[in-house]
């Protein structure tokens, strides 16, 4: 029996509450037992629809793990969980809270701005406290992670798109040494056909080992990098986040001139991700200069960043005509498309949300509404999964997933979430 919209709203709120661990929210029970960076931001986006105080606690919790150099880790290990690998002992993060050693897409400023503007009186104190932390994090990217003024990842996990085709060339080139024997925890919770392969995982763990041995010193890691790819996810989300941080600075009466300079650099840098052969934005290996040749859902974050063009719109319309439920993580016409393997084909509600928000702001209302309506149908028909088959809608990955519930409440269902 299908649920009514009111029942789906209640279910979504219940997922957020059930995944609350006392000030921070896990993505889902079992598979992801800690606080993840961009998952946490989307959790706050969802909480803000019915408990704004709880939303602000989520953001404060995330930034409580900020490192001295400004980096905000992709995982905060608040409490031990033996069922997750690699855990805090493998990462050996150097922050105030046990953490991983890499970051994730910087979406926080964008959604913090939304939270503040939805309830300025309640958010003023939080905004003032968080602004310097946000600026330090963005400054860390600008200091350590630019190549030709696009933002690089030094580990595929940083991008949030762990096994995306953007990394294939760099991963194949990587020479890895001996690893300690390990047992993956993810495949105990999810069908291995939906997860990254062992080839991928060996390289993921090799990069963790290199980072740990360097004590996560960005200067040392940049001297002889094993993996450094200019990433559309990072580049577009940081450009958008800097635009929002500049507005936050204005709200607070702070000087936004440095942020304006960052925006100008990134606007130029994002254009270095344009592959003329593909006719689209894609990943670029910073070590070889080679483009990945992959058209992904990250490519379509260009409008979210305030960019975009007619060629990208044509790609989007073609991709939407080939699937049923929004924007897949890889071009369905491309070789290697896999409708159920993590970031090599499945559709993700959070990516649909950011793409839809960007399209709407750019004036592409029809495409934005198509993606929103398809996301609504996807969730209402197939539940609150981590990701989905874009052809059939079949749920995949974890279930009762925080960020899917959050964007249902904040964007799919709320009128004021569509701008």
């Amino acid at each position: 029996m299908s649920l009514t919209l009111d029942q789906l709203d209640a279910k979504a709120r219940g997922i957020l509450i059930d995944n609350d661990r006392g000030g921070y929210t896990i993505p889902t029970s079992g598979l992801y037992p800690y606080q993840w960076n961009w998952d946490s931001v989307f959790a706050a986006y969802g909480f803000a629809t019915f408990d704004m105080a709880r939303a602000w606690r989520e953001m404060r919790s995330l930034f409580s793990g900020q490192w001295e150099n400004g980096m905000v880790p992709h995982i905060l290990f608040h409490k031990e969980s033996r069922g997750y690998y690699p855990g805090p002992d493998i990462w050996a993060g150097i922050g105030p809270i046990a953490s991983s050693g890499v970051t994730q897409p910087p979406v926080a400023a964008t959604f913090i701005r939304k939270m503040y503007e939805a309830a300025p009186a309640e958010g003023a104190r939080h905004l003032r406290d968080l602004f310097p932390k946000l600026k330090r994090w963005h400054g860390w990217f600008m200091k350590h992670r630019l190549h030709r003024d696009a933002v690089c990842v030094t580990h595929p996990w940083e991008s949030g798109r762990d096994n995306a085709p953007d990394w294939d060339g760099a991963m194949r080139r990587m020479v890895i040494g001996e690893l300690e024997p390990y047992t993956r925890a993810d495949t105990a919770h999810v069908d291995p056909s939906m997860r990254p392969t062992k080839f991928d995982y060996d390289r993921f763990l090799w990069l963790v080992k290199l980072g740990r041995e360097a004590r996560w010193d960005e200067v040392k890691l940049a001297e002889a990098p094993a993996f450094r790819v200019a990433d559309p996810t990072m580049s577009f989300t940081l450009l958008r986040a800097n635009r929002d941080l500049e507005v936050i600075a204005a709200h607070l009466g702070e000087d936004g001139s440095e942020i304006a300079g960052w925006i100008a650099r990134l606007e130029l840098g994002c254009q270095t991700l344009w592959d003329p052969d593909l006719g689209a934005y894609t990943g670029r290996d910073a070590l070889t200069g080679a483009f990945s040749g992959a058209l992904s859902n990250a490519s379509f974050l260009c409008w979210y960043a305030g960019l975009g063009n007619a060629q990208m719109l044509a790609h989007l319309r073609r991709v939407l005509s080939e699937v049923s439920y929004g924007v897949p993580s890889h071009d369905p016409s491309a070789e290697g498309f896999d409708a159920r393997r993590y970031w090599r084909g499945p559709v993700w509600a959070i990516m649909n949300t950011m793409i839809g928000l960007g399209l709407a702001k750019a004036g592409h209302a029809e495409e934005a509404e198509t993606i929103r309506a398809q996301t609504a149908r996807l969730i209402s028909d197939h539940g609150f999964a981590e990701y989905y088959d874009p052809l059939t809608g079949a749920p995949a990955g974890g279930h009762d997933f925080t960020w899917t519930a959050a964007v249902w409440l904040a964007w799919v269902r709320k009128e004021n979430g569509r701008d």
Side-chain angles (χ1 to χ4, degrees):
M1 180 179 176
S2 60
L3 299 179
T4 67
L5 293 177
D6 286 345
Q7 288 171 328
L8 286 162
D9 290 349
K11 173 69 173 173
R13 289 191 293 268
I15 288 171
L16 292 177
I17 292 167
D18 289 345
N19 288 339
D20 184 348
R21 294 298 181 268
Y24 70 93
T25 310
I26 62 170
T28 190
S29 183
L31 181 60
Y32 301 115
Y34 298 112
Q35 183 177 21
W36 261 257
N37 187 319
W38 69 334
D39 296 73
S40 196
V41 174
F42 285 106
Y45 185 40
F47 273 121
T49 65
F50 66 96
D51 189 344
M52 188 65 81
R54 178 62 187 80
W56 285 115
R57 285 200 303 277
E58 188 77 29
M59 289 294 84
R60 286 180 171 277
S61 174
L62 175 62
F63 281 89
S64 71
Q66 186 169 35
W67 288 12
E68 186 177 345
N69 65 5
M71 194 270 278
V72 181
H74 99 291
I75 307 173
L76 295 179
F77 300 107
H78 292 283
K79 298 176 183 177
E80 182 179 0
S81 177
R82 296 180 181 179
Y84 180 80
Y85 186 89
D89 55 329
I90 302 298
W91 281 102
I94 57 173
I97 295 171
S99 72
S100 64
V102 298
T103 192
Q104 268 192 328
V107 296
T110 297
F111 293 96
I112 284 173
R113 176 188 170 187
K114 286 181 177 292
M115 289 162 52
Y116 168 74
E117 291 179 348
E122 185 173 356
R125 172 175 59 87
H126 302 289
L127 194 71
R128 183 160 294 282
D129 289 347
L130 289 169
F131 172 74
K133 300 176 187 295
L134 287 163
K135 190 175 180 183
R136 285 179 58 220
W137 186 26
H138 292 200
W140 173 85
F141 279 108
M142 300 301 295
K143 180 178 180 179
H144 293 295
R145 291 304 183 82
L146 296 192
H147 181 265
R148 295 174 58 197
D149 289 336
V151 185
C152 292
V153 291
T154 60
H155 194 298
W157 281 338
E158 280 194 314
S159 69
R161 301 184 298 124
D162 303 15
N163 65 330
D166 296 75
W167 329 129
D168 286 357
M171 294 279 272
R172 283 193 297 265
R173 282 193 304 98
M174 195 186 304
V175 178
I176 68 171
E178 185 175 351
L179 291 166
E180 294 292 325
Y182 66 90
T183 301
R184 291 172 60 174
D186 60 325
T187 51
H189 296 280
V190 175
D191 182 339
S193 70
M194 300 179 187
R195 300 292 295 176
T197 64
K198 184 179 186 301
F199 175 90
D200 295 325
Y201 229 82
D202 284 349
R203 281 148 185 80
F204 296 161
L205 293 176
W206 180 250
L207 291 171
V208 172
K209 180 179 180 180
L210 295 180
R212 183 178 67 243
E213 290 174 349
R215 291 281 296 158
W216 301 107
D217 184 315
E218 290 291 331
V219 175
K220 289 181 180 179
L221 289 170
E223 288 174 350
F227 179 95
R228 189 167 288 254
V229 180
D231 172 30
T233 323
M234 283 291 197
S235 300
F236 290 143
T237 56
L238 184 60
L239 176 51
R240 170 62 185 268
N242 277 327
R243 295 190 197 281
D244 291 308
L245 191 65
E246 187 178 36
V247 173
I248 290 171
H251 281 313
L252 295 173
E254 298 281 351
D255 181 5
S257 58
E258 184 176 26
I259 302 166
W262 295 346
I263 292 168
R265 289 185 68 185
L266 289 168
E267 285 177 336
L268 293 174
C270 284
Q271 299 309 324
T272 72
L273 302 178
W274 184 262
D275 179 350
D277 294 330
L278 183 65
Y281 295 105
T282 190
R284 173 175 51 76
D285 192 328
L287 304 184
T288 67
F291 289 109
S292 73
L295 181 70
S296 70
N297 50 6
S299 304
F300 298 114
L301 291 174
C302 54
W303 293 284
Y304 180 81
L307 304 176
N309 56 45
Q311 285 175 276
M312 289 304 303
L313 197 61
H315 282 304
L316 179 67
R317 288 168 175 165
R318 191 261 303 167
V319 166
L320 291 176
S321 75
E322 295 176 1
V323 297
S324 301
Y325 294 103
V327 187
S329 47
H330 189 39
D331 186 343
S333 295
E335 182 179 356
F337 172 79
D338 186 334
R340 292 175 69 82
R341 191 180 289 279
Y342 217 41
W343 291 92
R344 302 189 77 87
V347 63
W348 299 71
I350 58 154
M351 296 296 281
N352 279 357
T353 298
M354 290 190 289
I355 294 166
L357 288 169
L359 285 164
K361 191 172 183 65
H364 300 300
E366 182 178 349
E367 289 79 10
E369 178 56 22
T370 294
I371 294 170
R372 190 208 63 79
Q374 289 183 354
T375 307
R377 184 161 54 90
L378 179 66
I379 296 171
S380 62
D381 290 352
H382 300 283
F384 295 92
E386 182 180 4
Y387 51 97
Y388 307 81
D389 184 317
L391 305 175
T392 67
H399 296 278
D400 290 343
F401 217 82
T402 289
W403 65 17
T404 307
V407 299
W408 169 270
L409 293 169
W411 179 67
V412 177
R413 284 281 281 144
K414 280 188 73 67
E415 187 70 32
N416 64 6
R418 298 184 199 171
D419 55 21

